[in-house]
Amino acid sequence: MKKSSPKEGETGDSPSQLIDERIAKLSDWRGETLARVRALIKEADPDVVEEVKWRKPSNMLGVPVWEHDGIICTGETYKDKVKLTFARGASLDDPSGIFNSSLEGGTRRAIDFHEGDKIDEEALKALIRAAAALNISARATARPVRSPKGA
């Protein structure tokens, strides 16, 4: 399996450094929650690759993204919650019922963590592992791209 190398941001910081910076700037329960979720993601899938996407002037630090043969999930912070959105969450079994947001969509599912919420660590790690396995299996069964005739 090929692991993508971390891309450097405009400031020269690696994605991991940008995520560290986001956590430090939050300096409240949201930073603590994002840091804990991040640690659980890395525990569940040691081959996960951190990226930062969708950087813009109003959000210079961008959105933390965890990938393994495709996006597993993103971690966004709002005033009242930390939202962990699974790119292909609708395709994942959720026996513990920890998905509590974006349930009506046909593709994504999310978990909203609010101040004081307890994280079901084992259920979250199981979802991370399942999402990575789904990405790996999708890549393994994907058709190879053929070059045009005569090329």
Side-chain angles (χ1 to χ4, degrees):
M1 174 194 67
K2 182 180 173 194
K3 239 170 108 169
S4 65
S5 61
K7 297 174 189 160
E8 289 194 6
E10 292 171 10
T11 62
D13 292 336
S14 72
S16 293
Q17 289 169 320
L18 290 170
I19 296 170
D20 289 342
E21 188 176 339
R22 170 168 292 291
I23 289 168
K25 282 190 176 191
L26 288 168
S27 71
D28 61 9
W29 70 269
R30 295 170 304 159
E32 292 170 13
T33 300
L34 186 58
R36 184 66 194 137
V37 165
R38 178 191 196 191
L40 292 169
I41 291 168
K42 290 177 174 184
E43 284 176 31
D45 183 0
D47 292 327
V48 74
V49 175
E50 293 188 313
E51 295 288 349
V52 174
K53 298 185 184 238
W54 307 295
R55 293 176 72 189
K56 55 189 177 183
S58 62
N59 185 8
M60 292 303 292
L61 296 177
V63 176
V65 178
W66 292 275
E67 300 181 347
H68 187 147
D69 283 344
I71 294 176
I72 293 174
C73 61
T74 63
E76 297 175 274
T77 54
Y78 300 91
K79 288 181 182 180
D80 65 336
K81 66 184 162 244
V82 173
K83 180 181 280 294
L84 198 63
T85 303
F86 286 73
R88 300 174 68 196
S91 298
L92 300 174
D93 287 332
D94 181 19
S96 297
I98 64 171
F99 283 134
N100 62 9
S101 183
S102 304
L103 300 175
E104 66 288 341
T107 305
R108 291 182 295 278
R109 294 283 184 273
I111 305 167
D112 288 351
F113 298 102
H114 297 89
E115 187 171 11
D117 284 354
K118 181 173 177 358
I119 299 172
D120 184 338
E121 295 183 358
E122 291 309 310
L124 179 57
K125 289 195 289 188
L127 279 177
I128 296 297
R129 287 189 290 270
L134 181 62
N135 286 352
I136 291 165
S137 69
R139 178 158 297 206
T141 59
R143 292 176 152 179
V145 177
R146 296 182 183 193
S147 57
K149 288 185 179 180

